[in-house]
PDB file of all heavy atoms in Angstrom:
ATOM      1  N   GLY Z   1      -2.455 -26.385  16.401  1.00  0.00           N
ATOM      2  CA  GLY Z   1      -3.457 -25.393  16.011  1.00  0.00           C
ATOM      3  C   GLY Z   1      -3.074 -23.994  16.446  1.00  0.00           C
ATOM      4  O   GLY Z   1      -3.260 -23.031  15.687  1.00  0.00           O
ATOM      5  N   GLU Z   2      -2.525 -23.864  17.636  1.00  0.00           N
ATOM      6  CA  GLU Z   2      -2.097 -22.547  18.127  1.00  0.00           C
ATOM      7  C   GLU Z   2      -0.948 -21.990  17.289  1.00  0.00           C
ATOM      8  O   GLU Z   2      -0.905 -20.795  16.996  1.00  0.00           O
ATOM      9  CB  GLU Z   2      -1.708 -22.640  19.595  1.00  0.00           C
ATOM     10  CG  GLU Z   2      -2.897 -22.847  20.518  1.00  0.00           C
ATOM     11  CD  GLU Z   2      -2.512 -23.131  21.959  1.00  0.00           C
ATOM     12  OE1 GLU Z   2      -1.301 -23.176  22.253  1.00  0.00           O
ATOM     13  OE2 GLU Z   2      -3.420 -23.301  22.783  1.00  0.00           O
ATOM     14  N   VAL Z   3      -0.018 -22.859  16.909  1.00  0.00           N
ATOM     15  CA  VAL Z   3       1.112 -22.427  16.071  1.00  0.00           C
ATOM     16  C   VAL Z   3       0.596 -21.978  14.698  1.00  0.00           C
ATOM     17  O   VAL Z   3       1.013 -20.931  14.179  1.00  0.00           O
ATOM     18  CB  VAL Z   3       2.158 -23.554  15.916  1.00  0.00           C
ATOM     19  CG1 VAL Z   3       3.175 -23.221  14.836  1.00  0.00           C
ATOM     20  CG2 VAL Z   3       2.855 -23.812  17.240  1.00  0.00           C
ATOM     21  N   ILE Z   4      -0.321 -22.746  14.132  1.00  0.00           N
ATOM     22  CA  ILE Z   4      -0.885 -22.394  12.829  1.00  0.00           C
ATOM     23  C   ILE Z   4      -1.631 -21.064  12.921  1.00  0.00           C
ATOM     24  O   ILE Z   4      -1.504 -20.209  12.047  1.00  0.00           O
ATOM     25  CB  ILE Z   4      -1.811 -23.514  12.312  1.00  0.00           C
ATOM     26  CG1 ILE Z   4      -0.972 -24.736  11.945  1.00  0.00           C
ATOM     27  CG2 ILE Z   4      -2.640 -23.041  11.133  1.00  0.00           C
ATOM     28  CD1 ILE Z   4      -1.783 -25.973  11.644  1.00  0.00           C
ATOM     29  N   LYS Z   5      -2.386 -20.874  13.998  1.00  0.00           N
ATOM     30  CA  LYS Z   5      -3.120 -19.617  14.183  1.00  0.00           C
ATOM     31  C   LYS Z   5      -2.153 -18.442  14.288  1.00  0.00           C
ATOM     32  O   LYS Z   5      -2.366 -17.393  13.678  1.00  0.00           O
ATOM     33  CB  LYS Z   5      -3.981 -19.715  15.437  1.00  0.00           C
ATOM     34  CG  LYS Z   5      -4.813 -18.492  15.694  1.00  0.00           C
ATOM     35  CD  LYS Z   5      -5.663 -18.674  16.949  1.00  0.00           C
ATOM     36  CE  LYS Z   5      -6.449 -17.428  17.271  1.00  0.00           C
ATOM     37  NZ  LYS Z   5      -7.246 -17.585  18.500  1.00  0.00           N
ATOM     38  N   LYS Z   6      -1.077 -18.618  15.047  1.00  0.00           N
ATOM     39  CA  LYS Z   6      -0.077 -17.556  15.205  1.00  0.00           C
ATOM     40  C   LYS Z   6       0.569 -17.234  13.861  1.00  0.00           C
ATOM     41  O   LYS Z   6       0.709 -16.062  13.491  1.00  0.00           O
ATOM     42  CB  LYS Z   6       0.981 -17.999  16.212  1.00  0.00           C
ATOM     43  CG  LYS Z   6       2.057 -16.969  16.459  1.00  0.00           C
ATOM     44  CD  LYS Z   6       3.072 -17.470  17.478  1.00  0.00           C
ATOM     45  CE  LYS Z   6       4.189 -16.491  17.646  1.00  0.00           C
ATOM     46  NZ  LYS Z   6       5.429 -16.930  17.056  1.00  0.00           N
ATOM     47  N   ASP Z   7       0.945 -18.264  13.106  1.00  0.00           N
ATOM     48  CA  ASP Z   7       1.561 -18.057  11.798  1.00  0.00           C
ATOM     49  C   ASP Z   7       0.601 -17.355  10.848  1.00  0.00           C
ATOM     50  O   ASP Z   7       0.999 -16.474  10.084  1.00  0.00           O
ATOM     51  CB  ASP Z   7       2.021 -19.389  11.196  1.00  0.00           C
ATOM     52  CG  ASP Z   7       3.202 -19.997  11.932  1.00  0.00           C
ATOM     53  OD1 ASP Z   7       3.823 -19.292  12.760  1.00  0.00           O
ATOM     54  OD2 ASP Z   7       3.491 -21.190  11.695  1.00  0.00           O
ATOM     55  N   ALA Z   8      -0.669 -17.734  10.890  1.00  0.00           N
ATOM     56  CA  ALA Z   8      -1.670 -17.114  10.025  1.00  0.00           C
ATOM     57  C   ALA Z   8      -1.842 -15.644  10.384  1.00  0.00           C
ATOM     58  O   ALA Z   8      -1.963 -14.790   9.498  1.00  0.00           O
ATOM     59  CB  ALA Z   8      -2.996 -17.852  10.126  1.00  0.00           C
ATOM     60  N   ASN Z   9      -1.865 -15.327  11.667  1.00  0.00           N
ATOM     61  CA  ASN Z   9      -1.996 -13.938  12.093  1.00  0.00           C
ATOM     62  C   ASN Z   9      -0.795 -13.106  11.645  1.00  0.00           C
ATOM     63  O   ASN Z   9      -0.941 -11.959  11.214  1.00  0.00           O
ATOM     64  CB  ASN Z   9      -2.174 -13.840  13.607  1.00  0.00           C
ATOM     65  CG  ASN Z   9      -3.565 -14.213  14.040  1.00  0.00           C
ATOM     66  OD1 ASN Z   9      -4.518 -14.092  13.290  1.00  0.00           O
ATOM     67  ND2 ASN Z   9      -3.691 -14.669  15.280  1.00  0.00           N
ATOM     68  N   GLU Z  10       0.399 -13.683  11.741  1.00  0.00           N
ATOM     69  CA  GLU Z  10       1.601 -12.981  11.296  1.00  0.00           C
ATOM     70  C   GLU Z  10       1.557 -12.747   9.784  1.00  0.00           C
ATOM     71  O   GLU Z  10       1.895 -11.655   9.307  1.00  0.00           O
ATOM     72  CB  GLU Z  10       2.859 -13.766  11.664  1.00  0.00           C
ATOM     73  CG  GLU Z  10       3.162 -13.747  13.156  1.00  0.00           C
ATOM     74  CD  GLU Z  10       4.346 -14.632  13.530  1.00  0.00           C
ATOM     75  OE1 GLU Z  10       4.979 -15.230  12.629  1.00  0.00           O
ATOM     76  OE2 GLU Z  10       4.641 -14.740  14.725  1.00  0.00           O
ATOM     77  N   ALA Z  11       1.127 -13.754   9.029  1.00  0.00           N
ATOM     78  CA  ALA Z  11       1.023 -13.608   7.579  1.00  0.00           C
ATOM     79  C   ALA Z  11      -0.018 -12.557   7.222  1.00  0.00           C
ATOM     80  O   ALA Z  11       0.195 -11.748   6.300  1.00  0.00           O
ATOM     81  CB  ALA Z  11       0.666 -14.952   6.939  1.00  0.00           C
ATOM     82  N   LEU Z  12      -1.128 -12.535   7.938  1.00  0.00           N
ATOM     83  CA  LEU Z  12      -2.154 -11.530   7.696  1.00  0.00           C
ATOM     84  C   LEU Z  12      -1.624 -10.134   7.977  1.00  0.00           C
ATOM     85  O   LEU Z  12      -1.857  -9.199   7.202  1.00  0.00           O
ATOM     86  CB  LEU Z  12      -3.388 -11.817   8.562  1.00  0.00           C
ATOM     87  CG  LEU Z  12      -4.549 -10.838   8.425  1.00  0.00           C
ATOM     88  CD1 LEU Z  12      -5.104 -10.856   7.006  1.00  0.00           C
ATOM     89  CD2 LEU Z  12      -5.654 -11.200   9.417  1.00  0.00           C
ATOM     90  N   HIS Z  13      -0.892  -9.976   9.072  1.00  0.00           N
ATOM     91  CA  HIS Z  13      -0.310  -8.679   9.417  1.00  0.00           C
ATOM     92  C   HIS Z  13       0.661  -8.226   8.325  1.00  0.00           C
ATOM     93  O   HIS Z  13       0.636  -7.056   7.911  1.00  0.00           O
ATOM     94  CB  HIS Z  13       0.403  -8.754  10.768  1.00  0.00           C
ATOM     95  CG  HIS Z  13       1.063  -7.492  11.164  1.00  0.00           C
ATOM     96  ND1 HIS Z  13       0.372  -6.369  11.552  1.00  0.00           N
ATOM     97  CD2 HIS Z  13       2.374  -7.164  11.231  1.00  0.00           C
ATOM     98  CE1 HIS Z  13       1.223  -5.401  11.827  1.00  0.00           C
ATOM     99  NE2 HIS Z  13       2.446  -5.858  11.643  1.00  0.00           N
ATOM    100  N   GLU Z  14       1.501  -9.135   7.853  1.00  0.00           N
ATOM    101  CA  GLU Z  14       2.448  -8.795   6.787  1.00  0.00           C
ATOM    102  C   GLU Z  14       1.714  -8.417   5.507  1.00  0.00           C
ATOM    103  O   GLU Z  14       2.111  -7.483   4.802  1.00  0.00           O
ATOM    104  CB  GLU Z  14       3.404  -9.956   6.533  1.00  0.00           C
ATOM    105  CG  GLU Z  14       4.410 -10.177   7.639  1.00  0.00           C
ATOM    106  CD  GLU Z  14       5.297 -11.386   7.403  1.00  0.00           C
ATOM    107  OE1 GLU Z  14       5.330 -11.895   6.258  1.00  0.00           O
ATOM    108  OE2 GLU Z  14       5.961 -11.821   8.348  1.00  0.00           O
ATOM    109  N   ALA Z  15       0.637  -9.128   5.201  1.00  0.00           N
ATOM    110  CA  ALA Z  15      -0.142  -8.823   3.996  1.00  0.00           C
ATOM    111  C   ALA Z  15      -0.792  -7.444   4.106  1.00  0.00           C
ATOM    112  O   ALA Z  15      -0.804  -6.677   3.140  1.00  0.00           O
ATOM    113  CB  ALA Z  15      -1.201  -9.895   3.770  1.00  0.00           C
ATOM    114  N   LYS Z  16      -1.316  -7.128   5.284  1.00  0.00           N
ATOM    115  CA  LYS Z  16      -1.920  -5.808   5.487  1.00  0.00           C
ATOM    116  C   LYS Z  16      -0.874  -4.712   5.323  1.00  0.00           C
ATOM    117  O   LYS Z  16      -1.131  -3.681   4.694  1.00  0.00           O
ATOM    118  CB  LYS Z  16      -2.559  -5.708   6.871  1.00  0.00           C
ATOM    119  CG  LYS Z  16      -3.872  -6.432   6.988  1.00  0.00           C
ATOM    120  CD  LYS Z  16      -4.443  -6.246   8.390  1.00  0.00           C
ATOM    121  CE  LYS Z  16      -5.761  -6.969   8.549  1.00  0.00           C
ATOM    122  NZ  LYS Z  16      -6.301  -6.795   9.912  1.00  0.00           N
ATOM    123  N   ALA Z  17       0.306  -4.916   5.892  1.00  0.00           N
ATOM    124  CA  ALA Z  17       1.375  -3.920   5.784  1.00  0.00           C
ATOM    125  C   ALA Z  17       1.784  -3.753   4.327  1.00  0.00           C
ATOM    126  O   ALA Z  17       1.987  -2.629   3.854  1.00  0.00           O
ATOM    127  CB  ALA Z  17       2.571  -4.330   6.641  1.00  0.00           C
ATOM    128  N   GLY Z  18       1.888  -4.849   3.605  1.00  0.00           N
ATOM    129  CA  GLY Z  18       2.244  -4.784   2.188  1.00  0.00           C
ATOM    130  C   GLY Z  18       1.179  -4.072   1.370  1.00  0.00           C
ATOM    131  O   GLY Z  18       1.488  -3.290   0.471  1.00  0.00           O
ATOM    132  N   THR Z  19      -0.076  -4.324   1.699  1.00  0.00           N
ATOM    133  CA  THR Z  19      -1.177  -3.668   0.997  1.00  0.00           C
ATOM    134  C   THR Z  19      -1.166  -2.174   1.253  1.00  0.00           C
ATOM    135  O   THR Z  19      -1.372  -1.372   0.338  1.00  0.00           O
ATOM    136  CB  THR Z  19      -2.526  -4.277   1.458  1.00  0.00           C
ATOM    137  OG1 THR Z  19      -2.508  -5.679   1.181  1.00  0.00           O
ATOM    138  CG2 THR Z  19      -3.694  -3.643   0.753  1.00  0.00           C
ATOM    139  N   GLU Z  20      -0.940  -1.784   2.504  1.00  0.00           N
ATOM    140  CA  GLU Z  20      -0.879  -0.353   2.833  1.00  0.00           C
ATOM    141  C   GLU Z  20       0.271   0.321   2.087  1.00  0.00           C
ATOM    142  O   GLU Z  20       0.113   1.426   1.556  1.00  0.00           O
ATOM    143  CB  GLU Z  20      -0.727  -0.163   4.339  1.00  0.00           C
ATOM    144  CG  GLU Z  20      -1.981  -0.505   5.121  1.00  0.00           C
ATOM    145  CD  GLU Z  20      -1.781  -0.416   6.620  1.00  0.00           C
ATOM    146  OE1 GLU Z  20      -0.705   0.043   7.067  1.00  0.00           O
ATOM    147  OE2 GLU Z  20      -2.704  -0.802   7.342  1.00  0.00           O
ATOM    148  N   LYS Z  21       1.411  -0.331   2.038  1.00  0.00           N
ATOM    149  CA  LYS Z  21       2.565   0.231   1.340  1.00  0.00           C
ATOM    150  C   LYS Z  21       2.266   0.377  -0.155  1.00  0.00           C
ATOM    151  O   LYS Z  21       2.540   1.420  -0.756  1.00  0.00           O
ATOM    152  CB  LYS Z  21       3.800  -0.653   1.542  1.00  0.00           C
ATOM    153  CG  LYS Z  21       5.041  -0.124   0.881  1.00  0.00           C
ATOM    154  CD  LYS Z  21       6.231  -1.028   1.124  1.00  0.00           C
ATOM    155  CE  LYS Z  21       7.464  -0.485   0.407  1.00  0.00           C
ATOM    156  NZ  LYS Z  21       8.604  -1.384   0.538  1.00  0.00           N
ATOM    157  N   ALA Z  22       1.681  -0.663  -0.744  1.00  0.00           N
ATOM    158  CA  ALA Z  22       1.337  -0.608  -2.168  1.00  0.00           C
ATOM    159  C   ALA Z  22       0.309   0.488  -2.424  1.00  0.00           C
ATOM    160  O   ALA Z  22       0.403   1.214  -3.424  1.00  0.00           O
ATOM    161  CB  ALA Z  22       0.809  -1.962  -2.633  1.00  0.00           C
ATOM    162  N   GLY Z  23      -0.662   0.636  -1.532  1.00  0.00           N
ATOM    163  CA  GLY Z  23      -1.667   1.684  -1.679  1.00  0.00           C
ATOM    164  C   GLY Z  23      -1.047   3.072  -1.648  1.00  0.00           C
ATOM    165  O   GLY Z  23      -1.418   3.953  -2.443  1.00  0.00           O
ATOM    166  N   LYS Z  24      -0.095   3.280  -0.751  1.00  0.00           N
ATOM    167  CA  LYS Z  24       0.595   4.573  -0.675  1.00  0.00           C
ATOM    168  C   LYS Z  24       1.389   4.845  -1.945  1.00  0.00           C
ATOM    169  O   LYS Z  24       1.413   5.973  -2.448  1.00  0.00           O
ATOM    170  CB  LYS Z  24       1.505   4.610   0.553  1.00  0.00           C
ATOM    171  CG  LYS Z  24       0.750   4.702   1.860  1.00  0.00           C
ATOM    172  CD  LYS Z  24       1.682   4.681   3.051  1.00  0.00           C
ATOM    173  CE  LYS Z  24       0.902   4.699   4.357  1.00  0.00           C
ATOM    174  NZ  LYS Z  24       1.770   4.655   5.524  1.00  0.00           N
ATOM    175  N   GLU Z  25       2.039   3.810  -2.480  1.00  0.00           N
ATOM    176  CA  GLU Z  25       2.808   3.969  -3.710  1.00  0.00           C
ATOM    177  C   GLU Z  25       1.889   4.299  -4.884  1.00  0.00           C
ATOM    178  O   GLU Z  25       2.206   5.158  -5.714  1.00  0.00           O
ATOM    179  CB  GLU Z  25       3.624   2.716  -4.006  1.00  0.00           C
ATOM    180  CG  GLU Z  25       4.766   2.494  -3.036  1.00  0.00           C
ATOM    181  CD  GLU Z  25       5.491   1.172  -3.247  1.00  0.00           C
ATOM    182  OE1 GLU Z  25       5.134   0.427  -4.194  1.00  0.00           O
ATOM    183  OE2 GLU Z  25       6.414   0.886  -2.470  1.00  0.00           O
ATOM    184  N   ILE Z  26       0.738   3.654  -4.933  1.00  0.00           N
ATOM    185  CA  ILE Z  26      -0.226   3.930  -6.002  1.00  0.00           C
ATOM    186  C   ILE Z  26      -0.755   5.359  -5.886  1.00  0.00           C
ATOM    187  O   ILE Z  26      -0.848   6.087  -6.880  1.00  0.00           O
ATOM    188  CB  ILE Z  26      -1.383   2.904  -5.973  1.00  0.00           C
ATOM    189  CG1 ILE Z  26      -0.872   1.540  -6.422  1.00  0.00           C
ATOM    190  CG2 ILE Z  26      -2.550   3.362  -6.843  1.00  0.00           C
ATOM    191  CD1 ILE Z  26      -1.855   0.403  -6.208  1.00  0.00           C
ATOM    192  N   ASP Z  27      -1.088   5.777  -4.673  1.00  0.00           N
ATOM    193  CA  ASP Z  27      -1.561   7.143  -4.455  1.00  0.00           C
ATOM    194  C   ASP Z  27      -0.517   8.165  -4.880  1.00  0.00           C
ATOM    195  O   ASP Z  27      -0.837   9.172  -5.521  1.00  0.00           O
ATOM    196  CB  ASP Z  27      -1.950   7.363  -2.991  1.00  0.00           C
ATOM    197  CG  ASP Z  27      -3.226   6.646  -2.601  1.00  0.00           C
ATOM    198  OD1 ASP Z  27      -3.976   6.236  -3.503  1.00  0.00           O
ATOM    199  OD2 ASP Z  27      -3.463   6.492  -1.375  1.00  0.00           O
ATOM    200  N   LYS Z  28       0.734   7.914  -4.544  1.00  0.00           N
ATOM    201  CA  LYS Z  28       1.808   8.839  -4.932  1.00  0.00           C
ATOM    202  C   LYS Z  28       1.924   8.883  -6.453  1.00  0.00           C
ATOM    203  O   LYS Z  28       2.061   9.972  -7.042  1.00  0.00           O
ATOM    204  CB  LYS Z  28       3.136   8.401  -4.311  1.00  0.00           C
ATOM    205  CG  LYS Z  28       4.275   9.363  -4.623  1.00  0.00           C
ATOM    206  CD  LYS Z  28       5.589   8.861  -4.072  1.00  0.00           C
ATOM    207  CE  LYS Z  28       6.745   9.788  -4.350  1.00  0.00           C
ATOM    208  NZ  LYS Z  28       6.906  10.213  -5.722  1.00  0.00           N
ATOM    209  N   GLY Z  29       1.848   7.739  -7.089  1.00  0.00           N
ATOM    210  CA  GLY Z  29       1.907   7.700  -8.551  1.00  0.00           C
ATOM    211  C   GLY Z  29       0.760   8.464  -9.189  1.00  0.00           C
ATOM    212  O   GLY Z  29       0.947   9.184 -10.176  1.00  0.00           O
ATOM    213  N   LEU Z  30      -0.433   8.328  -8.627  1.00  0.00           N
ATOM    214  CA  LEU Z  30      -1.580   9.073  -9.148  1.00  0.00           C
ATOM    215  C   LEU Z  30      -1.402  10.578  -8.972  1.00  0.00           C
ATOM    216  O   LEU Z  30      -1.709  11.358  -9.876  1.00  0.00           O
ATOM    217  CB  LEU Z  30      -2.865   8.610  -8.459  1.00  0.00           C
ATOM    218  CG  LEU Z  30      -3.405   7.245  -8.876  1.00  0.00           C
ATOM    219  CD1 LEU Z  30      -4.565   6.836  -7.981  1.00  0.00           C
ATOM    220  CD2 LEU Z  30      -3.837   7.267 -10.329  1.00  0.00           C
ATOM    221  N   ARG Z  31      -0.916  10.985  -7.796  1.00  0.00           N
ATOM    222  CA  ARG Z  31      -0.678  12.419  -7.570  1.00  0.00           C
ATOM    223  C   ARG Z  31       0.345  12.966  -8.560  1.00  0.00           C
ATOM    224  O   ARG Z  31       0.152  14.048  -9.136  1.00  0.00           O
ATOM    225  CB  ARG Z  31      -0.209  12.663  -6.127  1.00  0.00           C
ATOM    226  CG  ARG Z  31      -1.311  12.592  -5.098  1.00  0.00           C
ATOM    227  CD  ARG Z  31      -0.840  13.128  -3.742  1.00  0.00           C
ATOM    228  NE  ARG Z  31       0.345  12.452  -3.222  1.00  0.00           N
ATOM    229  CZ  ARG Z  31       0.324  11.335  -2.493  1.00  0.00           C
ATOM    230  NH1 ARG Z  31      -0.832  10.757  -2.188  1.00  0.00           N
ATOM    231  NH2 ARG Z  31       1.445  10.812  -2.057  1.00  0.00           N
ATOM    232  N   ASP Z  32       1.414  12.213  -8.762  1.00  0.00           N
ATOM    233  CA  ASP Z  32       2.444  12.650  -9.710  1.00  0.00           C
ATOM    234  C   ASP Z  32       1.883  12.748 -11.123  1.00  0.00           C
ATOM    235  O   ASP Z  32       2.163  13.710 -11.853  1.00  0.00           O
ATOM    236  CB  ASP Z  32       3.641  11.691  -9.691  1.00  0.00           C
ATOM    237  CG  ASP Z  32       4.417  11.728  -8.375  1.00  0.00           C
ATOM    238  OD1 ASP Z  32       4.197  12.670  -7.575  1.00  0.00           O
ATOM    239  OD2 ASP Z  32       5.226  10.802  -8.141  1.00  0.00           O
ATOM    240  N   THR Z  33       1.091  11.787 -11.513  1.00  0.00           N
ATOM    241  CA  THR Z  33       0.490  11.784 -12.856  1.00  0.00           C
ATOM    242  C   THR Z  33      -0.473  12.951 -13.017  1.00  0.00           C
ATOM    243  O   THR Z  33      -0.460  13.633 -14.042  1.00  0.00           O
ATOM    244  CB  THR Z  33      -0.240  10.457 -13.118  1.00  0.00           C
ATOM    245  OG1 THR Z  33       0.707   9.382 -12.985  1.00  0.00           O
ATOM    246  CG2 THR Z  33      -0.841  10.418 -14.509  1.00  0.00           C
ATOM    247  N   ARG Z  34      -1.291  13.204 -12.017  1.00  0.00           N
ATOM    248  CA  ARG Z  34      -2.218  14.349 -12.078  1.00  0.00           C
ATOM    249  C   ARG Z  34      -1.452  15.661 -12.233  1.00  0.00           C
ATOM    250  O   ARG Z  34      -1.849  16.542 -13.000  1.00  0.00           O
ATOM    251  CB  ARG Z  34      -3.081  14.394 -10.819  1.00  0.00           C
ATOM    252  CG  ARG Z  34      -4.159  13.374 -10.779  1.00  0.00           C
ATOM    253  CD  ARG Z  34      -5.038  13.585  -9.540  1.00  0.00           C
ATOM    254  NE  ARG Z  34      -5.899  12.434  -9.337  1.00  0.00           N
ATOM    255  CZ  ARG Z  34      -5.948  11.699  -8.236  1.00  0.00           C
ATOM    256  NH1 ARG Z  34      -5.196  12.008  -7.191  1.00  0.00           N
ATOM    257  NH2 ARG Z  34      -6.749  10.668  -8.148  1.00  0.00           N
ATOM    258  N   GLU Z  35      -0.388  15.794 -11.475  1.00  0.00           N
ATOM    259  CA  GLU Z  35       0.412  17.016 -11.550  1.00  0.00           C
ATOM    260  C   GLU Z  35       1.021  17.185 -12.939  1.00  0.00           C
ATOM    261  O   GLU Z  35       1.028  18.283 -13.501  1.00  0.00           O
ATOM    262  CB  GLU Z  35       1.506  17.001 -10.476  1.00  0.00           C
ATOM    263  CG  GLU Z  35       2.279  18.274 -10.369  1.00  0.00           C
ATOM    264  CD  GLU Z  35       1.414  19.497 -10.076  1.00  0.00           C
ATOM    265  OE1 GLU Z  35       0.406  19.370  -9.341  1.00  0.00           O
ATOM    266  OE2 GLU Z  35       1.734  20.575 -10.587  1.00  0.00           O
ATOM    267  N   LYS Z  36       1.517  16.092 -13.542  1.00  0.00           N
ATOM    268  CA  LYS Z  36       2.078  16.161 -14.889  1.00  0.00           C
ATOM    269  C   LYS Z  36       1.018  16.548 -15.900  1.00  0.00           C
ATOM    270  O   LYS Z  36       1.273  17.358 -16.807  1.00  0.00           O
ATOM    271  CB  LYS Z  36       2.702  14.815 -15.274  1.00  0.00           C
ATOM    272  CG  LYS Z  36       3.984  14.508 -14.549  1.00  0.00           C
ATOM    273  CD  LYS Z  36       4.517  13.140 -14.929  1.00  0.00           C
ATOM    274  CE  LYS Z  36       5.758  12.790 -14.116  1.00  0.00           C
ATOM    275  NZ  LYS Z  36       6.243  11.439 -14.435  1.00  0.00           N
ATOM    276  N   VAL Z  37      -0.186  15.985 -15.761  1.00  0.00           N
ATOM    277  CA  VAL Z  37      -1.280  16.317 -16.671  1.00  0.00           C
ATOM    278  C   VAL Z  37      -1.664  17.789 -16.503  1.00  0.00           C
ATOM    279  O   VAL Z  37      -1.874  18.502 -17.501  1.00  0.00           O
ATOM    280  CB  VAL Z  37      -2.503  15.384 -16.441  1.00  0.00           C
ATOM    281  CG1 VAL Z  37      -3.722  15.881 -17.188  1.00  0.00           C
ATOM    282  CG2 VAL Z  37      -2.161  13.964 -16.847  1.00  0.00           C
ATOM    283  N   ARG Z  38      -1.752  18.269 -15.278  1.00  0.00           N
ATOM    284  CA  ARG Z  38      -2.067  19.688 -15.048  1.00  0.00           C
ATOM    285  C   ARG Z  38      -1.032  20.599 -15.706  1.00  0.00           C
ATOM    286  O   ARG Z  38      -1.377  21.600 -16.344  1.00  0.00           O
ATOM    287  CB  ARG Z  38      -2.138  19.984 -13.548  1.00  0.00           C
ATOM    288  CG  ARG Z  38      -3.401  19.511 -12.903  1.00  0.00           C
ATOM    289  CD  ARG Z  38      -3.490  20.007 -11.450  1.00  0.00           C
ATOM    290  NE  ARG Z  38      -4.558  19.302 -10.781  1.00  0.00           N
ATOM    291  CZ  ARG Z  38      -4.415  18.442  -9.776  1.00  0.00           C
ATOM    292  NH1 ARG Z  38      -3.214  18.188  -9.303  1.00  0.00           N
ATOM    293  NH2 ARG Z  38      -5.459  17.846  -9.242  1.00  0.00           N
ATOM    294  N   ARG Z  39       0.220  20.269 -15.527  1.00  0.00           N
ATOM    295  CA  ARG Z  39       1.287  21.078 -16.125  1.00  0.00           C
ATOM    296  C   ARG Z  39       1.195  21.054 -17.652  1.00  0.00           C
ATOM    297  O   ARG Z  39       1.370  22.075 -18.306  1.00  0.00           O
ATOM    298  CB  ARG Z  39       2.661  20.578 -15.677  1.00  0.00           C
ATOM    299  CG  ARG Z  39       3.038  21.091 -14.305  1.00  0.00           C
ATOM    300  CD  ARG Z  39       4.509  20.807 -14.006  1.00  0.00           C
ATOM    301  NE  ARG Z  39       4.533  20.001 -12.788  1.00  0.00           N
ATOM    302  CZ  ARG Z  39       5.264  18.940 -12.566  1.00  0.00           C
ATOM    303  NH1 ARG Z  39       6.103  18.501 -13.475  1.00  0.00           N
ATOM    304  NH2 ARG Z  39       5.195  18.287 -11.429  1.00  0.00           N
ATOM    305  N   ALA Z  40       0.920  19.863 -18.194  1.00  0.00           N
ATOM    306  CA  ALA Z  40       0.809  19.748 -19.648  1.00  0.00           C
ATOM    307  C   ALA Z  40      -0.380  20.546 -20.161  1.00  0.00           C
ATOM    308  O   ALA Z  40      -0.301  21.206 -21.202  1.00  0.00           O
ATOM    309  CB  ALA Z  40       0.675  18.277 -20.046  1.00  0.00           C
ATOM    310  N   LEU Z  41      -1.493  20.500 -19.449  1.00  0.00           N
ATOM    311  CA  LEU Z  41      -2.668  21.270 -19.863  1.00  0.00           C
ATOM    312  C   LEU Z  41      -2.419  22.763 -19.746  1.00  0.00           C
ATOM    313  O   LEU Z  41      -2.876  23.553 -20.584  1.00  0.00           O
ATOM    314  CB  LEU Z  41      -3.891  20.871 -19.041  1.00  0.00           C
ATOM    315  CG  LEU Z  41      -4.461  19.478 -19.316  1.00  0.00           C
ATOM    316  CD1 LEU Z  41      -5.555  19.157 -18.320  1.00  0.00           C
ATOM    317  CD2 LEU Z  41      -4.976  19.369 -20.741  1.00  0.00           C
TER     318      LEU Z  41
END
C-alpha cells in the first residue's frame, strides 16, 4: 500500500507538471494569435 501510494503521488506530480506545461504552451499560443489578429486588423 505504501509503494502504491508513493507511485500514485509521483504520477500525480508528473501529471500536474505536464498540465502546467501544456497550460503555458496554450497561453503562449493564444498571445501569439491575438498579436497576429491585432496586426491584421
Side-chain angles (χ1 to χ4, degrees):
E2 289 172 359
V3 168
I4 291 171
K5 182 179 177 181
K6 180 180 176 252
D7 290 347
N9 284 334
E10 288 175 3
L12 180 62
H13 178 71
E14 289 177 15
K16 284 181 180 179
T19 301
E20 289 176 8
K21 181 180 178 184
K24 288 178 183 179
E25 290 174 3
I26 289 170
D27 288 344
K28 183 184 181 309
L30 286 172
R31 283 192 304 273
D32 293 346
T33 302
R34 285 185 193 123
E35 187 58 35
K36 288 177 184 177
V37 169
R38 283 188 192 114
R39 279 191 238 136
L41 290 173

